[in-house]
Amino acid sequence: MRIFFIFFFLIIVFSCNNNNNFSENETQTFPKGNIFRYNQTGGLTSLDPAFARVRANIWACTQLYNGLVRFSGKDLSMKYELAEKYELSKDGKVYTFTLKKGVFFHDNPCFPNGKGREMKASDFVYSFNRILKDGTGAWVFRDKVLKAKPLENSEKESKSNETKSQELKNQENKNQELKNDPKSQEIKKPEIIISDTAFKAVDDYTLRIYLEKPFPAFLQMLATPYTAVIPYEAIEKYKKDFRKNPVGTGAFLMRNGLWDERNKLILHKNPNYWKKDAKNQKLPYLDAVEVSFIEDRTVEFNTFFDGKLDLIANLSEVSRDQILEKSTGKVKERFAGKFKVVKNPYMMTEFIGFYQDTTILKDLKNPLLHPKVRQALNYAINRKGLLQALRNNLGIVGDFGVLPKAFPNFDSTKVNGYAYNPPKAQELLKEAGFPNGENLPIITLNTYQSDREVAEYLQKDWEQIGVKVNIELNHPASHSEKVEQGKLQMFRFSWIADYPDAENFLGMFYSPNFTPIGSNKTHFKNEVFDKLFQETSQMPLGKGRNPNYQKLNQIIMENSPVAVLYYDEVLRLCQNRVLYLEADALNSLLLETVKVK
């Protein structure tokens, strides 16, 4: 009875506090009819695809925009979007896309008379150049598309390029000075100098992209949300406020600024959407999408249980305990059939990182620079126990390398990772000169506030082998910034694949990808790894890469710049009334073909 009253009280409180802040005129455009509702804990930071770096932004942007190609279905096969077809030159360096005709941008005040105009090849040229200038997706094109060269066209252009080259060199020298300066707070990212001819609109419906050298995974990168097309008129009108005034070609659009950042986001059906289903019926089927921003996970779960949300994901510990059996991770019998529970492998790995850059770490006697200390910390982690105790067995034990099971190239039998072995951990500590942890200084593990329980679990595991660890909790944004700037020696982080090829994961350990410019957060550097990684990135996609991926994975394990905790799994709760909603290993959310009964 007490549980019932608590549950009833929470629903009442939420209902009373769910008054939105929209004006009377805006509420008149609230959607009616077939509506899909989901919650996004933590809210959104931007509806600009150039900043679709986090899952929350990606999900929203997926409904608003289209790119040339996209991933489709559970197998994540490539499918044409705004491209009708493409051709690749014999040398693998020139992609030519033929675009679909009759695709229009959303109706919006940025256009004359508020009517969206037709999408053209020049819009992609504009969008791609904008990513390089202002966005978190510059890595998609950096070091891949054609770079500027001296004496390219004219004496004027040559002088301009030489000036830019000198500026880049000066900035790189400045970055090195900042790295060597312990008082430095920030390393500025150097300007990316790309040729004016890297992207070319041959005509209104033909787009050409020139690469510096062949890169077989490039087409997959064009399926990431960063590369969606936008109109220049929207940027000219809204400038930085484009983040909350999105204009794309997608299945849904935003009207009258219906985004209260503390309450909810409402997206309406795009009546001029260009796609149709197999029966020639116009998409999307839904009339609207409503995204709420309920922060309390218990309230979120109860709202879903009350039928007011169609989907929730990333359940809290409390919600998992309510739904899943602690020992098996299976759905409790009393919930069977009441809603759909979708659980499948996710291209995401959870890590502990060990910073390796001796040009920044002044204490060269730091024990985390000793490979046997890092290996000892790896062997001391009871990963299976962690998943049972804290995650209701949601996830896969990370005993084998950095690649999650969701990757087709994953083969645990060919990668020797770190199974739980405390005696081996103690043996390695002794060999490193720290028997039973003696004379080993206290190590600080930096993590985010929501990760306290995982950190405390690891702290106890390491204490069993004599290693004392202090836990420092940071706000997520502050934590990420410190990791990017190389200020933390041992830290929590995770990596989610941007595209379904292991190159995207293994690139985290490629030395030219050092943060803050790239994804190598540990600043791991290994010449054998770098050479093999370069060779592999030039190979055709497919099974032929697998032996090299296994070798690269093993090099990482032997050098242990990270401790793999577990490979994540997608867990979604979905109402039975929702039809045709698919889950994939990238944890995508595509709503254009979804129906709600």
Side-chain angles (χ1 to χ4, degrees), residues 47-51 61 64-68 82 103-106 110-111 117-131 134-135 225-236 238-239 242-243 245-250:
L47 295 175
D48 183 342
F51 296 90
C61 287
L64 293 162
Y65 304 97
N66 301 111
L68 292 167
L82 297 178
V103 176
F104 287 80
F105 287 110
H106 300 152
C110 70
F111 299 114
R117 64 167 175 81
E118 188 178 13
M119 176 271 304
K120 300 290 178 67
S122 57
D123 294 309
F124 274 102
V125 174
Y126 174 82
S127 300
F128 292 169
N129 280 318
R130 177 175 176 264
I131 293 170
D134 185 19
Y226 300 113
T227 62
V229 67
I230 63 170
Y232 73 88
E233 294 95 332
I235 302 301
E236 289 184 351
Y238 299 115
K239 298 179 173 58
F242 180 72
R243 62 174 286 276
N245 292 280
V247 184
T249 59

Side-chain angles (χ1 to χ4, degrees), residues 386 390 451-459 492 565-566:
L386 186 154
L390 303 180
D451 198 54
R452 178 193 292 272
E453 290 186 331
V454 171
E456 290 175 347
Y457 185 95
L458 296 172
Q459 184 184 47
R492 276 281 281 120
L565 299 180
Y566 58 89

Side-chain angles (χ1 to χ4, degrees), residues 476-542:
S478 174
H479 180 78
S480 296
E481 182 179 358
K482 289 177 180 178
V483 170
E484 292 288 310
Q485 294 179 2
K487 294 182 177 181
L488 307 179
Q489 296 176 7
M490 184 164 74
F491 52 89
R492 276 281 281 120
F493 78 102
S494 58
W495 187 260
I496 305 172
D498 296 287
Y499 52 93
D501 189 82
E503 184 269 344
N504 184 231
F505 253 76
L506 296 169
M508 283 191 294
F509 304 96
Y510 182 49
S511 64
N513 287 345
F514 280 2
T515 54
I517 297 172
S519 59
N520 189 339
K521 302 177 189 298
T522 63
H523 283 212
F524 172 73
K525 185 173 184 178
N526 181 286
E527 291 182 2
V528 176
F529 180 94
D530 285 351
K531 183 178 179 181
L532 184 58
F533 181 85
Q534 287 177 328
E535 293 173 357
T536 307
S537 67
Q538 299 300 304
M539 295 172 63
L541 296 179

Side-chain angles (χ1 to χ4, degrees), residues 129-351:
N129 280 318
R130 177 175 176 264
I131 293 170
L132 287 165
K133 181 181 179 181
D134 185 19
T136 57
W139 61 270
V140 172
F141 297 121
R142 186 179 54 239
D143 298 328
K144 300 175 187 70
V145 297
L146 195 65
K147 298 176 183 177
K149 294 178 174 63
L151 302 174
E152 189 167 279
N153 288 318
S154 65
E155 183 178 348
K156 183 177 180 180
E157 269 191 308
S158 173
K159 182 177 180 180
S160 174
N161 286 332
E162 286 172 4
T163 302
K164 288 183 178 179
S165 297
Q166 185 60 46
E167 288 175 355
L168 178 61
K169 185 175 181 180
N170 291 341
Q171 182 59 58
E172 288 174 340
N173 291 337
K174 179 66 174 177
N175 284 351
Q176 189 60 46
E177 292 174 8
L178 290 169
K179 287 174 70 176
N180 295 330
D181 180 2
K183 297 181 181 179
S184 171
Q185 298 296 310
E186 179 180 5
I187 299 175
K188 185 179 179 181
K189 297 182 181 182
E191 182 184 358
I192 301 162
I193 301 178
I194 300 299
S195 170
D196 291 338
T197 59
F199 312 116
K200 184 176 181 180
V202 179
D203 56 44
D204 283 348
Y205 304 104
T206 307
L207 172 71
R208 194 162 287 156
I209 303 175
Y210 297 85
L211 305 187
E212 276 284 305
K213 57 185 177 181
F215 191 81
F218 185 67
L219 195 65
Q220 289 189 325
M221 294 175 126
L222 292 178
T224 60
Y226 300 113
T227 62
V229 67
I230 63 170
Y232 73 88
E233 294 95 332
I235 302 301
E236 289 184 351
K237 178 176 177 60
Y238 299 115
K239 298 179 173 58
K240 289 186 178 181
D241 281 341
F242 180 72
R243 62 174 286 276
K244 57 183 179 181
N245 292 280
V247 184
T249 59
F252 298 90
L253 51 79
M254 196 169 78
R255 294 178 182 166
N256 299 331
L258 290 181
W259 179 20
D260 176 355
E261 297 188 36
R262 294 182 297 175
N263 189 1
K264 66 177 60 177
L265 165 72
I266 296 175
L267 303 177
H268 286 263
K269 177 179 185 174
N270 176 9
N272 302 317
Y273 193 46
W274 53 277
K275 281 190 188 179
K276 296 181 179 180
D277 65 11
K279 296 181 180 180
N280 207 36
Q281 182 179 346
K282 289 191 68 174
L283 296 176
Y285 302 127
L286 296 170
D287 293 306
V289 176
E290 183 177 299
V291 188
S292 57
F293 306 125
I294 304 169
E295 289 300 319
D296 189 308
R297 291 297 184 89
T298 302
V299 175
E300 175 193 50
F301 176 73
N302 289 337
T303 305
F304 172 82
F305 200 78
D306 198 38
K308 295 179 181 178
L309 289 174
D310 295 299
L311 172 74
I312 56 174
N314 302 320
L315 299 181
S316 68
E317 181 186 358
V318 173
S319 299
R320 286 198 304 268
D321 286 344
Q322 286 182 280
I323 296 169
L324 304 178
E325 297 287 353
K326 195 78 172 177
S327 58
T328 64
K330 294 182 179 179
V331 179
K332 291 180 179 179
E333 189 174 343
R334 72 173 183 270
F335 290 113
K338 292 188 176 180
F339 43 77
K340 301 172 188 176
V341 180
V342 180
K343 180 180 177 182
N344 62 281
Y346 188 10
M347 289 184 182
M348 177 177 180
T349 301
E350 298 285 348
F351 297 98

